[in-house]
Amino acid sequence: MNRSHLLLDPHRRGVPGLARMRRYRDDDAVDMAIVGCGAGGGVLAQRLARAGWRVVVLERGPFWDPDRDWVSDEAGSSHLYWNDTRIIAGEDPVEMGKNNSGLGVGGSMVHFAGYTPRFHPSDFATRSVDGVGADWPIDYADLRAHYTVLERELPVAGQRWPWGDPHGYPHAPHPVCGAAERAWEGARACGVTMRVGPVSITNGPFGNRPHCIYRGFCLQGCKVNAKASPLVTHVPDAIEQGAEVRADSMVVGLETDGGGAVSGVRYLRDGTERLQRAHAVAVCGYSIESPRLLLHSGIGNDHDQVGRYIMVQGAPQIAGRFPELLRMYKAPPPEISSEQFYETDPDRGFARGFSIQTVSPLPIGWAEHVLADGHRGPALREYMRDYNHWSVLGALCELLPRAENRVTLAGETDRFGMPLARFSYTRGENDRANIAYAKRVINQIWQAAGAQDILTIDRYAHLVGGCRMGTDPETSVVDADHRVWGVPNVFVCDGSVMPTQGSANPALTIMALAARLAERLAARRISDARRRAA
């Protein structure tokens, strides 16, 4: 059960109940201290609080209030991103910032586009099915029921989904604007099947959350709470059930008890280092910060696995220009999408695949697109004036895990006294072939749609990996229950545990993993209590 949509105030957008939120003392050993309040930490906190656990969530960023903190402006929204310095390296370095990290309660889902597909059954067994990547220690069936429940809680809107494990969605699809209609015309002409959605954006009232107003600023924080993020979908209920979400608290280390377990978390708040005692800790800081915290704390790295196998998706975007006004911003960014190319096709010459969806960059994002295609000065100004004639399609290409793509600790420290994260990334030949093929398909779609001009930008999206789950400590960091090998009371529950990336936005799968972990922890506690009583 989750009553967050009913607990929200129908007239104010901030999280209700903060004044009466339970506060724990630092020396009060809670059942679970959770580091980070994003897709993993937010869901885990809500589920465990519902099960009667005493939970404290320590979040580096603030409690956002959409009425106060979010603006209809791209430049004015940069405070939503984790912009701390990270060192990037490798042959194909990945830009950090707004595309792959978040700051504050709600995490990166506060500024994600709302695209919420499931992973496919094959994603959990790529080594067995396709001879690449790695098999997960769990399979799709372990998450299926959690996917269904979360799709109702967010809720997700879209047409019935024919790919992977075919399924429907609780809300009907959103209407399609002119920019997406043009993309759909080209796709049909090329034999590419498209569907509307899936997006975790309300299509009709949902409790005290309103219908989407198609404001166009999904990536800058939804001012009306129509788009899902843990800030509105899970945190209100977590607080109502007795969890404390302690914002503005930067965790800088895990405290050990000398016997192989962790006794609490060290964190900085208001310039003072403090120690929150806890019987168990869940690290939910995502694919850069979770490995950094474990490495800095000296936990879980007996086999040099922490920080390895970090992945991104190849996410090229290709724009087509048309004579009529399209106004691509007047809709959820991912309006229509296709997973027709998701699975391996030997005829393509590479393993695994990609998805395609519309994306709708706002003017600053559009300027970056134009600049990436090589246009400057007067040409840039003309492309900017022409903004409303363009439509953009993007791909999410599954790039394969490589041990050398990893986070390590640099010699420099940040203002919290922690070593900076150094992230090295290099693509393999399979990755390059996948991205090139996806770009050819999208170019064909725009040509078939009659585009007068086409622009391309190469980019990445969606970090995962770094603390991957597996079946043995020599090739992974956590087991199938997210427990760090060799440490009985430390768990990792975020995108860093994913052994493979898929061609889907990972947000829903991260939430499903957190829901599964909470269910298993609660069931184990009940079992232990019964055993003691007997």
Side-chain angles (χ1 to χ4, degrees):
M1 185 176 180
N2 180 359
R3 299 183 67 250
S4 291
H5 62 300
L6 301 174
L7 295 169
L8 292 170
D9 191 304
H11 305 295
R12 293 188 296 271
R13 305 305 173 197
V15 174
L18 294 185
R20 65 176 188 276
M21 178 173 66
R22 183 170 183 176
R23 263 77 175 183
Y24 292 94
R25 300 188 310 273
D26 282 341
D27 61 357
D28 187 359
V30 296
D31 297 319
M32 179 70 79
I34 297 174
V35 181
C37 198
V43 171
L44 184 62
Q46 185 266 334
R47 296 297 203 262
L48 290 179
R50 275 265 167 196
W53 288 48
R54 300 162 72 248
V55 176
V56 168
V57 187
L58 296 153
E59 165 57 47
R60 151 74 190 285
F63 248 115
W64 298 120
D65 183 331
D67 291 327
R68 178 194 66 212
D69 299 319
W70 298 346
V71 293
S72 299
D73 178 78
E74 290 173 89
S77 301
S78 61
H79 58 291
L80 301 180
Y81 318 136
W82 190 294
N83 291 315
D84 288 9
T85 300
R86 281 125 168 206
I87 298 171
I88 58 174
E91 295 179 17
D92 304 289
V94 177
E95 181 183 4
M96 297 284 98
K98 66 180 181 180
N99 192 44
N100 46 39
S101 61
L103 179 70
V105 178
S108 58
M109 284 184 71
V110 161
H111 62 84
F112 90 139
Y115 189 46
T116 327
R118 301 180 184 186
F119 273 24
H120 284 205
S122 67
D123 285 320
F124 298 84
T126 63
R127 173 60 61 179
S128 296
V129 173
D130 296 310
V132 297
D135 290 351
W136 294 44
I138 63 174
D139 59 27
Y140 177 85
D142 292 305
L143 297 185
R144 184 178 186 180
H146 299 293
Y147 278 140
T148 301
V149 171
L150 286 159
E151 285 163 351
R152 291 199 299 265
E153 291 179 340
L154 294 177
V156 179
Q159 288 182 304
R160 181 167 179 79
W161 205 244
W163 299 287
D165 175 27
H167 58 279
Y169 292 107
H171 276 206
H174 288 273
V176 174
C177 79
E181 287 177 347
R182 273 297 202 172
W184 212 336
E185 289 173 12
R188 279 194 293 264
C190 293
V192 176
T193 301
M194 290 281 188
R195 289 291 184 270
V196 183
V199 291
S200 52
I201 299 172
T202 55
N203 187 8
F206 182 65
N208 290 331
R209 289 171 59 195
H211 191 298
C212 176
I213 60 172
Y214 306 115
R215 166 176 157 265
F217 285 88
C218 299
L219 282 80
Q220 286 70 40
C222 178
K223 288 285 283 186
V224 300
N225 284 345
K227 190 191 76 172
S229 81
L231 181 68
V232 297
T233 61
H234 289 84
V235 167
D237 193 69
I239 292 172
E240 188 73 11
Q241 298 302 314
E244 178 188 355
V245 179
R246 194 175 299 164
D248 303 302
S249 300
M250 175 64 181
V251 173
V252 294
L254 305 184
E255 190 78 1
T256 57
D257 63 4
V262 164
S263 57
V265 296
R266 289 183 287 107
Y267 69 101
L268 290 170
R269 195 179 198 204
D270 299 326
T272 302
E273 182 169 315
R274 298 160 62 172
L275 173 66
Q276 174 63 57
R277 296 180 59 226
H279 295 298
V281 174
V283 178
C284 306
Y286 210 27
S287 288
I288 302 294
E289 292 305 307
S290 288
R292 181 167 80 131
L293 180 61
L294 292 183
L295 289 169
H296 181 54
S297 302
I299 288 174
N301 200 34
D302 292 346
H303 297 276
D304 191 27
Q305 291 299 299
V306 174
R308 290 191 180 275
Y309 300 104
I310 291 191
M311 294 160 278
V312 289
Q313 288 165 334
Q317 294 180 1
I318 301 174
R321 199 269 183 195
F322 296 90
E324 69 271 26
L325 292 174
L326 299 178
R327 303 191 187 279
M328 59 181 166
Y329 61 89
K330 295 295 290 182
E335 281 195 89
I336 62 171
S337 54
S338 176
E339 290 183 344
Q340 181 171 320
F341 302 93
Y342 197 106
E343 307 287 349
T344 296
D345 180 347
D347 291 339
R348 296 200 295 253
F350 58 89
R352 305 303 293 161
F354 56 92
S355 61
I356 301 171
Q357 58 281 141
T358 49
V359 292
S360 302
L362 293 175
I364 292 177
W366 175 241
E368 294 169 349
H369 200 134
V370 174
L371 287 166
D373 205 68
H375 304 283
R376 302 287 190 279
L380 171 62
R381 289 194 292 272
E382 288 304 313
Y383 276 110
M384 294 307 298
R385 292 190 188 102
D386 210 32
Y387 169 76
N388 281 319
H389 288 272
W390 289 81
S391 178
V392 182
L393 281 169
L396 293 179
C397 303
E398 180 176 353
L399 307 187
L400 301 178
R402 295 159 58 92
E404 59 269 33
N405 290 338
R406 66 183 305 190
V407 164
T408 55
L409 300 182
E412 303 93 327
T413 58
D414 63 13
R415 60 192 175 97
F416 302 108
M418 288 186 68
L420 296 179
R422 184 179 190 273
F423 174 31
S424 298
Y425 186 80
T426 299
R427 290 180 294 181
E429 288 306 312
N430 195 87
D431 303 334
R432 299 180 194 281
N434 191 337
I435 293 170
Y437 194 97
K439 289 163 68 173
R440 287 198 298 272
V441 170
I442 295 176
N443 268 286
Q444 290 167 3
I445 289 173
W446 285 136
Q447 291 165 3
Q452 298 169 309
D453 191 4
I454 295 175
L455 298 181
T456 300
I457 181 172
D458 287 301
R459 53 190 292 280
Y460 296 113
H462 305 139
L463 286 166
V464 302
C467 298
R468 72 169 175 176
M469 58 165 55
T471 56
D472 69 82
E474 294 186 0
T475 58
S476 59
V477 177
V478 301
D479 64 17
D481 286 337
H482 298 252
R483 190 189 308 269
V484 174
W485 293 108
V487 188
N489 64 337
V490 175
F491 303 83
V492 181
C493 187
D494 55 29
S496 71
V497 305
M498 293 181 174
T500 54
Q501 170 69 295
S503 299
N505 184 305
L508 183 66
T509 298
I510 295 170
M511 290 180 144
L513 287 167
R516 173 183 175 271
L517 173 59
E519 180 180 74
R520 294 178 69 81
L521 289 173
R524 186 177 299 130
R525 170 176 280 194
I526 292 171
S527 176
D528 290 347
R530 287 173 177 167
R531 187 162 51 249
R532 286 193 299 270

